[in-house]
């Protein structure tokens, strides 16, 4: 049953108020995450450095072997060193203690940051729901709605990992930072008043195709953050392993992150897990295009860049499964693929004439 015009307007205003409130709470969460990192840097540092510079147990000097010689004497022989090789680029390095650095006060601020992030997530989700009710449809009919929904899903996915007991609190600061950037762009540059959709978009495929695209993008984003941090952490570990001495800031920050191997595994697993859903997203879009425009594929800019993104992640997964392309090379491929996803969203919508450009922004 359609809502009255006044009710729709009130819901739209409520949505705007909730989104601005979420921005305020995310800002507090950002400051709390900063405090976590600041107080964590005051704890004892060098755990990872010590682990890197210490000789691994498997390579420690083995006890000598005494061999009896004919004639009653003995000879001392060195036991040969046994070297076990891990995956390409892997080191026996423990994960860092986290942003709090093992400091009690840092951990307190980290817990406050997570609590504020949960509150901001609930407020923003309320804003998305109010926006949907104001137009009585899925809240992703234009770039503004897509942006606020995307950031909500990204934060929800992060909180889901935390609820599952995964060690991902190190994602908090970069996530909240980019969410604030995303919402700032949305409310200042992309805002569009609530309106009904053009006829071509009035389909149940809107719920299927766009919702999966949003979820895929949120998970791809988490994988991209892990890939960026992996590159920094890998350089840090390489410098330590080579006898170098990183700067104080680099040591304070990077020594608290998970090991490069853990970050690499996290990025690979989330990208590999979501890739089949991205494949389904493209297929669903083609089916929707067949219903709306009478053809499944027309080389529209959005379709082309969705496929380019798919190829990018397919190359990454293939390269990651090949021993010679693990590590930094694979991470670069993952970031290129995510850059294609971002261009598909911002670049195509804003700068390319496309059939998908229904509402301008």
């Amino acid at each position: 049953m359609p809502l009255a015009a006044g009710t729709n307007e009130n819901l739209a205003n409520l949505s705007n108020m909730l989104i601005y409130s979420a921005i305020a709470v995310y800002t507090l969460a950002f400051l709390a995450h900063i405090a976590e990192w600041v107080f964590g840097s005051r704890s004892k540092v060098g755990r990872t450095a010590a682990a890197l510079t210490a000789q691994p147990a498997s390579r420690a000097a083995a006890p000598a072997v005494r061999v009896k010689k004919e004639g009653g004497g003995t000879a001392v022989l060195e036991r040969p060193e046994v070297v076990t090789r891990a995956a390409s680029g892997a080191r026996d390095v423990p994960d860092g203690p986290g942003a709090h650095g093992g400091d009690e006060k840092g951990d307190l601020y980290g817990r406050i940051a997570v609590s504020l992030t949960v509150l901001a997530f609930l407020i923003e989700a309320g804003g998305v729901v109010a926006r949907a009710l104001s137009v009585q449809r899925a809240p992703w009919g234009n770039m503004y709605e897509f942006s606020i929904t995307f950031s909500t899903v990204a934060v929800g996915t992060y909180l889901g990992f935390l609820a599952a007991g995964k060690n991902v609190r190190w994602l908090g600061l970069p996530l909240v930072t980019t969410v604030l950037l995303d919402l700032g762009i949305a409310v200042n540059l992309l805002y569009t008043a609530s309106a009904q959709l053009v006829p071509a978009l009035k389909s149940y495929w809107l719920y299927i195709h766009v919702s999966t695209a949003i979820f895929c993008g949120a998970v791809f984003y988490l994988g991209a953050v892990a890939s960026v941090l992996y590159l920094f952490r890998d350089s840090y570990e390489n410098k330590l392993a080579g006898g170098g001495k990183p700067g104080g800031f680099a040591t304070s920050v990077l020594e608290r992150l998970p090991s490069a191997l853990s970050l690499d595994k996290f990025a690979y697993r989330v990208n590999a897990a979501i890739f089949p859903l991205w494949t389904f997203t493209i297929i669903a879009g083609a089916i929707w295009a067949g219903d709306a425009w009478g053809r499944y594929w027309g080389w529209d800019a959005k379709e082309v860049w969705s496929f380019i993104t798919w190829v990018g992640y397919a190359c990454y997964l293939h390269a990651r499964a090949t021993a010679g392309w693990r590590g930094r090379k694979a991470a670069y491929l993952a970031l290129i693929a995510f850059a294609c996803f971002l261009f598909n969203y911002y670049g195509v919508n804003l700068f390319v004439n496309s059939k998908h450009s229904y509402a301008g922004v």
Side-chain angles (χ1 to χ4, degrees):
M1 181 177 179
L3 298 176
T7 303
N8 290 342
E9 185 178 353
N10 291 336
L11 286 170
N13 291 335
L14 174 63
S15 173
N16 295 339
M17 182 184 70
L18 289 173
I19 295 300
Y20 277 103
S21 299
I23 292 174
V25 181
Y26 277 128
T27 301
L28 295 177
F30 170 79
L31 295 175
H33 276 299
I34 291 291
E36 178 186 16
W37 282 93
V38 169
F39 283 103
S41 68
R42 298 179 181 180
S43 62
K44 292 183 178 179
V45 297
R47 298 177 185 83
T48 306
L52 280 168
T53 54
Q55 194 174 27
S58 61
R59 300 185 183 182
V65 180
R66 295 184 179 275
V67 180
K68 289 185 177 181
K69 296 172 62 177
E70 293 183 5
T74 60
V76 179
L77 303 179
E78 293 292 332
R79 186 185 298 273
E81 179 183 1
V82 178
V83 178
T84 57
R85 296 191 181 276
S88 176
R91 306 180 191 85
D92 186 16
V93 179
D95 292 335
H100 55 80
D103 180 79
E104 185 176 349
K105 197 166 187 179
D107 182 63
L108 173 63
Y109 277 103
R111 294 177 184 276
I112 292 173
V114 171
S115 299
L116 288 170
T117 302
V118 172
L119 177 59
F121 164 75
L122 295 175
I123 295 173
E124 186 183 10
V128 172
V129 172
R131 176 78 176 197
L133 293 175
S134 71
V135 289
Q136 301 179 61
R137 58 167 172 78
W140 41 73
N142 50 60
M143 286 187 71
Y144 169 75
E145 294 173 355
F146 190 101
S147 294
I148 62 175
T149 306
F150 174 82
S151 58
T152 303
V153 174
V155 175
T157 304
Y158 162 70
L159 295 176
F161 276 118
L162 285 179
K166 303 299 182 181
N167 177 27
V168 294
R169 208 163 86 182
W170 45 271
L171 269 171
L173 181 58
L175 174 65
V176 171
T177 302
T178 49
V179 165
L180 283 172
L181 179 63
D182 174 72
L183 292 179
I185 293 174
V187 299
N188 289 294
L189 301 177
L190 304 178
Y191 180 77
T192 304
S194 299
Q196 293 302 315
L197 298 175
V198 296
L201 290 181
K202 293 180 179 179
S203 169
Y204 60 88
W205 284 106
L206 173 69
Y207 295 87
I208 299 172
H209 171 64
V210 184
S211 63
T212 54
I214 291 173
F215 182 67
C216 289
V219 178
F220 282 148
Y221 164 76
L222 298 181
V225 172
S227 294
V228 170
L229 294 179
Y230 160 78
L231 292 173
F232 283 106
R233 173 76 189 206
D234 184 62
S235 296
Y236 170 76
E237 291 181 6
N238 280 334
K239 193 166 188 178
L240 286 176
K245 186 177 180 181
F249 177 78
T251 300
S252 175
V253 173
L254 296 176
E255 69 114 22
R256 287 180 274 166
L257 291 173
S259 68
L261 181 60
S262 295
L263 290 169
D264 184 45
K265 284 182 178 179
F266 177 82
Y268 172 67
R269 287 171 179 173
V270 296
N271 287 328
I274 207 64
F275 180 73
L277 189 60
W278 181 249
T279 304
F280 170 77
T281 300
I282 296 176
I283 294 173
I287 296 173
W288 188 11
D291 289 343
W293 301 320
R295 80 330 179 249
Y296 294 102
W297 191 266
W299 297 103
D300 180 71
K302 181 72 70 172
E303 297 168 350
V304 170
W305 278 95
S306 295
F307 180 67
I308 290 174
T309 302
W310 184 91
V311 171
Y313 278 106
C315 290
Y316 161 73
L317 295 175
H318 176 73
R320 180 61 177 75
T322 304
W325 276 82
R326 292 189 181 185
R328 299 185 70 86
K329 292 180 180 179
Y332 289 134
L333 275 179
L335 293 177
I336 291 172
F338 185 68
C340 292
F341 176 86
L342 288 180
F343 181 80
N344 187 33
Y345 175 50
Y346 287 105
V348 171
N349 285 8
L350 295 175
F351 306 115
V352 180
N353 186 20
S354 167
K355 275 194 169 185
H356 290 74
S357 303
Y358 291 105
V361 293

